[in-house]
């Protein structure tokens, strides 16, 4: 059974930082590209950041470039999203996604940026 379990969300003030983690089980993690998506209330789910398998190439949504960093540790079956200089518009549920021939989703973790 495949599971993706996110953690690290919470309430943070504007300008603050959070690090999200996603631990995968039931898949050969190192062979999957990993992505973080987010969905704000009333909006469509959007891709925030992605990292490929093997070479670990990354790409980011324009709205988070220079503020967010995606990374992975294959020996821990874990992908991270380091989020700095958070803004109110970053408030959303953040989802972990694993993609190869098929794809899997985590349950999401809430990030709220508010003073």
């Amino acid at each position: 059974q495949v599971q993706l379990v996110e953690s690290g969300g919470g309430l943070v003030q504007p300008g603050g930082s959070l690090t999200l983690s996603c631990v995968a089980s039931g898949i050969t993690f190192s062979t999957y590209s990993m992505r973080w998506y987010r969905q704000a209330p009333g909006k469509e789910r959007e891709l925030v950041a992605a990292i490929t398998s093997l070479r670990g190439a990354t790409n980011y949504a324009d709205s988070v470039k220079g503020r967010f960093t995606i990374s992975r540790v294959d020996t821990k079956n874990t992908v991270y999203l380091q989020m700095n200089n958070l803004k109110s518009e970053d408030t959303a549920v953040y989802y972990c996604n694993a993609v190869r021939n098929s794809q899997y989703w985590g349950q999401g973790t809430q990030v709220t940026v508010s003073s």
Side-chain angles (χ1 to χ4, degrees):
Q1 182 181 0
V2 178
Q3 280 193 313
L4 301 177
V5 180
E6 301 101 332
S7 62
L11 173 64
V12 63
Q13 292 186 343
S17 298
L18 282 175
T19 299
L20 306 183
S21 301
C22 171
V23 180
S25 59
I27 58 173
T28 305
F29 181 81
S30 62
T31 67
Y32 279 73
S33 292
M34 299 300 297
R35 300 169 180 176
W36 286 98
Y37 285 79
R38 68 185 181 188
Q39 187 166 21
K43 295 188 177 181
E44 293 187 355
R45 192 171 296 190
E46 64 170 345
L47 177 63
V48 174
I51 185 167
T52 64
S53 59
L54 298 178
R55 293 184 179 181
T58 59
N59 63 71
Y60 299 91
D62 286 344
S63 58
V64 306
K65 279 181 181 176
R67 300 188 298 121
F68 290 12
T69 303
I70 188 171
S71 61
R72 62 190 297 161
V73 179
D74 289 348
T75 55
K76 295 185 177 181
N77 285 3
T78 303
V79 61
Y80 302 95
L81 186 68
Q82 172 68 43
M83 305 184 294
N84 297 326
N85 190 21
L86 283 160
K87 305 176 181 180
S88 58
E89 52 263 43
D90 296 318
T91 296
V93 178
Y94 284 71
Y95 297 91
C96 176
N97 172 256
V99 179
R100 199 179 68 179
N101 297 324
S102 52
Q103 65 174 330
Y104 303 97
W105 293 90
Q107 82 288 349
T109 186
Q110 177 71 46
V111 172
T112 303
V113 184
S114 175
S115 55

